[in-house]
Amino acid sequence: MAEVSAAAVGAGSDVNTAGNPTEVAMAYLQDEKTDGEMANLNLGELDLTTDEFILDEVDIHIQANLEDDLVKEALKTGVDLRQYSKQVESELQRIEQASIKDYIKESQNIALLHNQITACDSILERMEGMLSGFQSDLSSISSEIQTLQQQSVSMNVRLKNRQAVRSHLSQLVDELVVPGAMISTILDSPVTEQEFLEQLHELNNKINFAKELSFRETLACSDIQDIVDRLKLKAVSKIREFILQKIYSFRKPMTNYQIPQNTLLKYRFFYQFLLANERSVAKEIRDEYVDTMSKIYYSYFKSYSGRLLKVQYEEVADKDDLMGVEDTAKKGFFSKPSLKSRNTIFTVGQRGAILSPAELEGPILVPHTAQRGDSRYPYETLFRSQHYALLDNGCREFLFLSDFFMVAGNSGLDLFNSIMGKTLSMFLKSMSTYVSDCYDSIAVFLCIHIILRFRAITAKRTIPALDKYWEAVLELLWPRFEMILEMNIHSIRNTDPQRLGVLDTRPHYITRRYAEFSSAIVSINQTFPNERTNTLLGQLQVEVENFVLKMAAEFPSRRDQLIFLINNYDMMLSVLMERAADDSKEVEGFQQLLLARTQEFIEEILSPPFGGMISFVKEAEALMEKGQLERLKNEEARITQLVRGFSATWKQSVESMSQDVMRSFTNFKNGTSIIQGALTQLIQYYHGFHKVLNQPTFRSLAVRSELINLHHLMVEVKKHKPNF
């Protein structure tokens, strides 16, 4: 009925296509409202009799139904809804009759299908029963599996607990059991065998384990305590005997104690065992070693130092061998002979080579070999050999103590000092005695730098054992060096030039001493600069400069004074530049002094032959600057004399001047430089002379034609330059 109603709606919607679709629908609803098919219009549950019915809502529902495809089709074709409804109803009845006939026709098949369905139901019912049985069985199996899983977890926990207990118990048993091999090895094997060392490690572990068990009050510990204690005593006894034998072997004459020391290092665990288990024996061994090595080092170094002094130079500097002392000074009747050459005290020569790495860390001197060869050495060479032996043995000893006796820090330094302290004190005492009567400043300064380099070597090796000793040595040497340097400063300051013999313009021996000494100290001091040394050298330089000026003042003529100053400045500068850096304070100072005195000397030697021309040029140039050159207008006679005098005598004067300069200066290179400077200055003066005479004031002078061409003069002057 619903389909027919829908179709009827579709058919009736186009009965009057020109009419209002809303009115058609409302008419249809009025005719069919008793059939209960209003719902097929998709108008919802609308109650048209209630007061709440709203036409707007009806319009909305009608409009929605008009959108239906079937309704649209019916309206388009213009079908009569009532007729179409009856047609549909008759069609349905016809179809219903046909379907009843088909059903009767197929009744047997339907009955057969029913029987088959019934049979399937019984089969499915049996299968359901079987599956229910399986489900119940699986439920029981699942519970059994859970039970087994719980039992497995419980058994696993018990197994782990038993294994843990077993491992602890087995370890405990292993540690408690003292094997026969250990007993036989500790009792019978020599301590030098590897097996003894291995069993000693095991015994040490058992001793420590027994101590741990005793703290826990384990009863099983008492079962092994006796045997462990007896084995410990036996091991301690054998180790003590072995180590003491090695220490006593150090005392044999001519023994190289480094060999048994190396042997002891292989068995350093022996001392560790003693320290852990028998401290009294460990202390005994340590004290015995300290006493033995202290005596050995003291004896060795005392003997070695004494023999070294026998190969020292017999001639040494004394308090009278100072820089400012004259060579002609005589000593008293009871004084020792003077040095063959006092200048060697202030010259470093080859002595500075001792600071080179090859010699600084070279083999030490062997005194008896040197004596056989009748060789003699300066003090710094003996000092280097002595202290290099100390450095080498000290470093080796400190490393041995740290390794074998297991000490570090202050403990290691204290142990080292207990062994080497006596030797170091002997060194300091011997050095203090020597230094108190030493006046060889270069030797003392070389010793200072040897110590500075040795200190750097021990710092590089990270061996602090000798640091305090190095400082103590430097505290002895620095004051002595400064005192000797101050004595030399005072000696130069107090020198009386009139007591130094015949005056000579050549370099003085005192300035040569200073130059050699200063260059030596500056070259050595470059590696480890010391401000106090630089200050003292500055004071010494000032005194030497004053001394040179005092000596120059003894010469009657300024020319000789300048020659003396230039010769001495040039000599000191040459010696300094051989060793000192070009930018050193000493070199720069003397370069300035030499340049100033050289310029003054050039003016001095040009003055006799060319003084008139030079004074005229200077006077004229001064007036030219003031614009007063007219004041020289009446000097025609003077100018004529100057022009003709220069032209007639300049060659002879230059030749004479060159020969005189070369005779006056000991350094030919310096003399050549002075001549070149003088000739250059002469050309400049003559050029100035030309320039003055070219002024309007003097252009009318006839003598201007007699002036020598400046270029020609330069060519001729070059011929007089000496070549050296």
Side-chain angles (χ1 to χ4, degrees):
M1 187 63 187
E3 294 178 2
V4 175
S5 300
V9 172
S13 61
D14 284 335
V15 173
N16 295 313
T17 55
N20 189 348
T22 304
E23 295 177 356
V24 175
M26 292 298 293
Y28 173 75
L29 289 172
Q30 283 290 344
D31 292 338
E32 300 296 330
K33 62 181 179 179
T34 57
D35 296 333
E37 295 177 354
M38 294 175 64
N40 292 318
L41 295 174
N42 295 325
L43 297 176
E45 297 179 355
L46 297 174
D47 187 358
L48 302 178
T49 63
T50 63
D51 294 336
E52 297 177 359
F53 181 76
I54 302 173
L55 290 178
D56 291 340
E57 293 182 1
V58 173
D59 286 340
I60 293 171
H61 286 288
I62 290 174
Q63 189 65 34
N65 281 294
L66 288 176
E67 295 296 326
D68 185 84
D69 292 337
L70 188 58
V71 175
K72 287 181 179 181
E73 184 64 28
L75 292 174
K76 286 180 181 180
T77 56
V79 178
D80 186 358
L81 294 179
R82 294 179 181 85
Q83 184 63 34
Y84 186 73
S85 175
K86 291 178 181 180
Q87 182 182 348
V88 170
E89 186 176 355
S90 63
E91 185 69 25
L92 287 174
Q93 289 177 356
R94 185 182 62 79
I95 292 172
E96 182 181 0
Q97 293 297 326
S99 64
I100 292 171
K101 290 178 182 181
D102 289 339
Y103 183 77
I104 293 171
K105 183 180 178 181
E106 296 295 332
S107 59
Q108 291 182 353
N109 292 333
I110 293 171
L112 180 59
L113 179 60
H114 175 70
N115 292 334
Q116 290 177 351
I117 290 172
T118 304
C120 287
D121 284 344
S122 62
I123 293 171
L124 290 173
E125 185 177 0
R126 288 198 303 274
M127 289 182 67
E128 183 180 3
M130 291 173 63
L131 291 174
S132 299
F134 288 157
Q135 186 176 7
S136 62
D137 291 342
L138 288 173
S139 298
S140 62
I141 290 173
S142 177
S143 62
E144 290 177 2
I145 288 174
Q146 289 179 352
T147 304
L148 289 173
Q149 186 177 9
Q150 293 173 354
Q151 292 176 355
S152 175
V153 171
S154 176
M155 291 174 66
N156 191 30
V157 171
R158 290 198 298 271
L159 177 61
K160 288 182 178 179
N161 291 338
R162 289 178 181 179
Q163 287 177 342
V165 171
R166 180 181 178 182
S167 65
H168 286 297
L169 286 175
S170 61
Q171 182 180 357
L172 177 63
V173 171
D174 290 342
E175 294 291 347
L176 287 174
V177 172
V178 180
M182 177 185 290
I183 297 173
S184 61
T185 301
I186 296 296
L187 294 178
D188 302 329
S189 297
V191 297
T192 55
E193 290 187 2
Q194 181 64 26
E195 187 179 0
F196 180 86
L197 186 60
E198 293 174 357
Q199 293 298 334
L200 188 65
H201 277 280
E202 291 296 325
L203 176 60
N204 190 55
N205 292 335
K206 291 188 182 297
I207 292 171
N208 293 333
F209 189 71
K211 290 178 181 178
E212 183 181 350
L213 291 180
S214 65
F215 292 148
R216 299 177 184 177
E217 298 181 355
T218 305
L219 296 177
C221 177
S222 60
D223 295 340
I224 64 164
Q225 191 67 50
D226 183 59
I227 183 65
V228 169
D229 287 343
R230 283 190 287 172
L231 285 176
K232 181 182 74 173
L233 291 175
K234 183 63 177 176
V236 166
S237 175
K238 294 177 72 173
I239 291 171
R240 174 183 175 277
E241 182 180 356
F242 170 75
I243 295 178
L244 288 178
Q245 279 184 348
K246 291 297 179 184
I247 293 174
Y248 293 151
S249 67
F250 296 170
R251 302 176 180 178
K252 296 178 182 178
M254 306 301 292
T255 298
N256 184 357
Y257 59 87
Q258 294 176 1
I259 295 175
Q261 270 187 339
N262 293 334
T263 303
L264 285 177
L265 285 177
K266 294 179 183 178
Y267 304 102
R268 61 175 64 86
F269 180 72
F270 288 173
Y271 184 78
Q272 183 180 346
F273 180 83
L274 294 178
L275 196 62
N277 299 289
E278 200 64 48
R279 285 187 171 271
S280 60
V281 176
K283 185 177 184 303
E284 177 191 3
I285 288 175
R286 176 170 165 166
D287 292 344
E288 193 65 35
Y289 178 84
V290 168
D291 182 64
T292 299
M293 293 308 297
S294 176
K295 292 177 180 177
I296 288 174
Y297 281 125
Y298 180 78
S299 174
Y300 165 73
F301 279 108
K302 184 178 181 181
S303 173
Y304 183 67
S305 300
R307 285 181 289 163
L308 277 179
L309 291 176
K310 294 180 180 179
V311 295
Q312 183 183 1
Y313 281 133
E314 295 180 358
E315 295 180 343
V316 294
D318 60 17
K319 63 181 179 180
D320 294 320
D321 293 315
L322 299 174
M323 200 176 295
V325 175
E326 60 273 16
D327 278 342
T328 57
K330 297 181 179 180
K331 298 187 178 182
F333 181 76
F334 295 102
S335 61
K336 58 185 178 182
S338 63
L339 293 176
K340 293 179 180 178
S341 176
R342 184 175 283 108
N343 289 334
T344 58
I345 304 172
F346 309 103
T347 305
V348 69
Q350 297 300 317
R351 297 167 70 183
I354 198 168
L355 297 178
S356 65
E359 290 199 28
L360 189 69
E361 300 182 54
I364 63 174
L365 290 178
V366 181
H368 62 269
T369 303
Q371 283 180 312
R372 262 202 311 268
D374 199 24
S375 300
R376 291 292 183 268
Y377 302 93
Y379 178 75
E380 65 271 8
T381 302
L382 311 182
F383 182 88
R384 196 281 316 176
S385 184
Q386 181 187 45
H387 282 81
Y388 188 68
L390 174 65
L391 181 146
D392 191 45
N393 285 275
C395 290
R396 183 186 295 273
E397 185 63 30
F398 183 78
L399 292 174
F400 174 82
L401 295 176
S402 301
D403 199 359
F404 186 78
F405 291 103
M406 299 177 296
V407 290
N410 291 330
S411 299
L413 294 177
D414 291 341
L415 183 59
F416 178 83
N417 289 330
S418 63
I419 294 174
M420 300 295 294
K422 191 176 179 181
T423 301
L424 298 180
S425 297
M426 181 264 293
F427 269 25
L428 290 174
K429 183 178 179 181
S430 173
M431 203 177 313
S432 177
T433 303
Y434 170 80
V435 166
S436 63
D437 195 38
C438 175
Y439 294 90
D440 188 350
S441 53
I442 290 182
V444 175
F445 199 60
L446 285 172
C447 291
I448 288 173
H449 278 264
I450 288 170
I451 293 298
L452 291 175
R453 284 161 173 77
F454 282 168
R455 185 173 65 179
I457 291 172
T458 54
K460 186 177 180 180
R461 296 180 184 179
T462 63
I463 306 294
L466 292 170
D467 287 353
K468 289 185 178 180
Y469 174 74
W470 301 139
E471 294 299 329
V473 173
L474 292 175
E475 288 176 3
L476 279 175
L477 296 177
W478 273 120
R480 187 64 187 180
F481 172 73
E482 292 172 358
M483 191 201 77
I484 299 172
L485 205 52
E486 289 173 352
M487 290 174 65
N488 281 286
I489 292 172
H490 288 300
S491 71
I492 294 176
R493 182 182 303 155
N494 299 328
T495 299
D496 184 2
Q498 296 181 352
R499 298 180 58 188
L500 296 179
V502 180
L503 291 176
D504 193 343
T505 58
R506 290 176 296 180
H508 200 274
Y509 58 82
I510 290 181
T511 57
R512 179 170 293 280
R513 291 175 188 171
Y514 161 76
E516 295 287 353
F517 176 78
S518 183
S519 64
I521 299 300
V522 169
S523 63
I524 295 170
N525 199 47
Q526 287 174 351
T527 309
F528 292 91
N530 179 266
E531 194 59 35
R532 175 63 177 161
T533 302
N534 292 333
T535 302
L536 291 172
L537 284 178
Q539 295 177 9
L540 181 62
Q541 181 179 351
V542 170
E543 295 301 331
V544 169
E545 291 174 4
N546 292 336
F547 165 76
V548 173
L549 292 176
K550 286 193 296 183
M551 285 296 301
E554 296 294 315
F555 290 92
S557 68
R558 183 57 182 167
R559 180 178 177 281
D560 290 340
Q561 292 177 1
L562 291 173
I563 292 173
F564 177 80
L565 291 173
I566 292 172
N567 275 330
N568 281 274
Y569 290 152
D570 178 65
M571 181 273 298
M572 289 188 285
L573 188 60
S574 300
V575 174
L576 281 169
M577 291 183 69
E578 289 179 3
R579 297 184 179 273
D582 292 343
D583 58 349
S584 66
K585 184 174 63 175
E586 291 80 8
V587 171
E588 291 179 352
F590 284 115
Q591 282 178 336
Q592 294 174 2
L593 291 172
L594 178 61
L595 181 62
R597 298 289 80 79
T598 300
Q599 194 61 36
E600 185 181 353
F601 179 75
I602 288 174
E603 296 291 336
E604 186 71 23
I605 61 174
L606 289 176
S607 181
F610 309 108
M613 182 190 69
I614 293 172
S615 62
F616 176 79
V617 170
K618 290 180 179 180
E619 182 182 357
E621 288 177 347
L623 291 173
M624 283 172 62
E625 290 181 1
K626 297 178 182 179
Q628 301 175 359
L629 192 60
E630 293 294 331
R631 294 172 58 180
L632 297 177
K633 189 174 182 180
N634 298 323
E635 298 284 344
E636 181 178 354
R638 179 185 175 190
I639 294 172
T640 302
Q641 181 183 359
L642 291 175
V643 171
R644 292 173 178 172
F646 182 86
S647 300
T649 63
W650 77 267
K651 289 185 179 181
Q652 182 181 356
S653 298
V654 167
E655 184 67 29
S656 175
M657 181 178 64
S658 298
Q659 294 177 359
D660 186 34
V661 168
M662 297 309 297
R663 285 194 301 268
S664 300
F665 296 101
T666 55
N667 184 349
F668 290 120
K669 184 177 179 182
N670 184 42
T672 302
S673 176
I674 291 173
I675 292 173
Q676 291 177 350
L679 295 177
T680 302
Q681 189 66 34
L682 175 62
I683 291 173
Q684 289 178 353
Y685 279 132
Y686 199 69
H687 178 262
F689 191 50
H690 268 262
K691 187 176 179 181
V692 170
L693 295 184
N694 284 332
Q695 296 300 313
T697 305
F698 305 111
R699 283 180 184 173
S700 60
L701 295 179
V703 76
R704 288 181 65 249
S705 61
E706 299 180 25
L707 286 171
I708 301 174
N709 181 272
L710 194 61
H711 180 70
H712 176 71
L713 178 64
M714 293 173 64
V715 172
E716 290 296 324
V717 162
K718 285 183 180 179
K719 296 178 181 179
H720 292 81
K721 290 184 178 180
N723 296 317
F724 290 99

